[in-house]
Amino acid sequence: MRRFRFGAVVRDAASAKEWADKARRLEDTGFDVLLAPDHLMGPRFAPIAALTAAACATTRLRVGTLVFANDFRHPAVLAKEAATLDVLSGGRLEVGIGTGWMAGDYAGAGLELAPPGVRIERLREALAVLRGLWGEGPFDFAGRHYRISGLDQRPKPVQRPGPPLVIGAGGARMVRLAAEEADVVNIGTRVLPDGSGPDAADGGRPALLAKLAAVREAAGDRYARLELGTSVMQAGERKPEEAWSAADSSVLDGTPQVLLGTRHDIADKLRYWRDEHDISYFVVHHERDLAAFEPVVEELAT
């Protein structure tokens, strides 16, 4: 039986004290992981500094990203920063990573938003670089996008062979990559190739089940070692039209990404998705839903 794990995305705070209090509240209420996003625009803390502060404020809580945008940092730089954070947190880091996708980030920073295929190919190389630099001894790599020559970084991560790699995946190519390379697959909604937002045509129970089947097929023998997760976009005892948008709620109806009902209703739904479909890691995506979700964590966390 896969153990439930619960994470929460926390974006910012008004002060260092408030940020530390948010981290300690998650730890005290049974959450497993505090997650920071990685976007250049909007009210969001930069992830490395924010996760370091959260780790220093807690003792058990793991910290991670959902997810680093690979296009924003060279993997040799990220490998060094991640290894340092893993040491400073006592081995509590989870490295969530994706290609980068939000058009506004790229446009605002003057970065090129390459076609999805190029970004995915670049991410696959970056994963190899991360793992290589976390290994022992000098590392060499010659790819289309990255070249590493005899680089031996220290410190090495506390977690061996390295921090768990979490890949956020929505489109078919990313789902395959995650199944083949990740330790944790976070299944989400496919985004549009131009980075303008989620694809409204991708959602609901049939789409989620198809992605789960694709993960199982692509993972092969390593499937049993994978942890499968998804983000809870809405939770609590509210009518769909009272929460975020009726349209969005209807698209995701019948999935664990929208969980409406009592504490026990939600807990039963999560047990179903774990027992029948192997999803055991659930991330509350909006802080507004934390209070409603805390009793569920209390019931299911072991």
Side-chain angles (χ1 to χ4, degrees), residues 51-138:
L51 296 179
T52 303
C56 289
T58 56
T59 57
R60 177 193 62 81
L61 188 72
R62 296 180 68 80
V63 295
T65 46
L66 198 66
V67 291
F68 280 123
N70 181 57
D71 282 355
F72 295 170
R73 51 184 61 77
H74 193 286
V77 177
L78 180 58
K80 181 77 169 181
E81 291 182 335
T84 301
L85 179 48
D86 198 53
V87 170
L88 293 177
S89 67
R92 289 185 280 147
L93 176 64
E94 300 184 5
V95 177
I97 190 166
T99 62
W101 68 272
M102 189 180 288
D105 286 335
Y106 288 80
L111 299 173
E112 177 192 5
L113 179 62
V118 174
R119 284 180 276 141
I120 293 170
E121 179 183 64
R122 192 154 51 211
L123 175 59
R124 187 181 288 275
E125 288 191 12
L127 295 172
V129 172
L130 289 173
R131 287 197 171 105
L133 290 173
W134 290 335
E136 297 300 330

Side-chain angles (χ1 to χ4, degrees), residues 31-282:
F31 279 83
D32 297 278
V33 192
L34 180 151
L35 296 157
D38 187 20
H39 290 289
L40 302 179
M41 57 186 293
R44 303 172 178 91
F45 279 172
I48 294 291
L51 296 179
T52 303
C56 289
T58 56
T59 57
R60 177 193 62 81
L61 188 72
R62 296 180 68 80
V63 295
T65 46
L66 198 66
V67 291
F68 280 123
N70 181 57
D71 282 355
F72 295 170
R73 51 184 61 77
H74 193 286
V77 177
L78 180 58
K80 181 77 169 181
E81 291 182 335
T84 301
L85 179 48
D86 198 53
V87 170
L88 293 177
S89 67
R92 289 185 280 147
L93 176 64
E94 300 184 5
V95 177
I97 190 166
T99 62
W101 68 272
M102 189 180 288
D105 286 335
Y106 288 80
L111 299 173
E112 177 192 5
L113 179 62
V118 174
R119 284 180 276 141
I120 293 170
E121 179 183 64
R122 192 154 51 211
L123 175 59
R124 187 181 288 275
E125 288 191 12
L127 295 172
V129 172
L130 289 173
R131 287 197 171 105
L133 290 173
W134 290 335
E136 297 300 330
F139 175 67
D140 295 280
F141 182 85
R144 178 182 174 188
H145 303 282
Y146 304 112
R147 299 185 68 85
I148 307 295
S149 179
L151 185 58
D152 186 6
Q153 292 187 335
R154 298 184 183 277
K156 300 299 183 183
V158 171
Q159 298 176 91
R160 307 304 293 154
L165 287 170
V166 184
I167 296 182
R173 285 177 291 187
M174 281 298 296
V175 167
R176 286 195 301 273
L177 174 62
E180 293 166 359
E181 298 288 346
D183 299 299
V184 183
V185 181
N186 183 276
I187 299 175
T189 302
R190 180 177 63 235
V191 297
L192 295 168
D194 65 1
S196 59
D199 187 345
D202 181 54
R205 184 185 179 91
L208 178 58
L209 293 179
K211 292 172 189 179
L212 291 171
V215 168
R216 182 184 289 272
E217 179 180 1
D221 292 341
R222 71 189 303 271
Y223 179 79
R225 303 192 302 273
L226 288 180
E227 183 177 39
L228 304 184
T230 194
S231 293
V232 178
M233 308 302 293
Q234 178 187 343
E237 294 189 69
R238 293 167 293 182
K239 297 178 182 178
E241 62 270 17
E242 294 174 340
W244 50 329
S245 92
D248 289 340
S249 295
S250 64
V251 166
L252 298 177
D253 189 32
T255 77
Q257 294 154 343
V258 169
L259 298 169
L260 300 178
T262 67
R263 160 186 175 170
H264 299 298
D265 292 335
I266 294 173
D268 285 345
K269 291 173 185 175
L270 296 186
R271 289 189 187 97
Y272 164 80
W273 282 99
R274 180 193 64 177
D275 298 347
E276 298 298 324
H277 300 292
D278 296 333
I279 301 178
S280 57
Y281 179 28
F282 297 92

Side-chain angles (χ1 to χ4, degrees), residues 22-32 60 290 293-298 301:
K22 287 183 177 186
R24 284 191 284 263
R25 177 181 174 181
L26 290 179
E27 183 170 68
D28 292 344
T29 53
F31 279 83
D32 297 278
R60 177 193 62 81
L290 282 175
F293 211 80
E294 285 170 359
V296 178
V297 174
E298 181 183 7

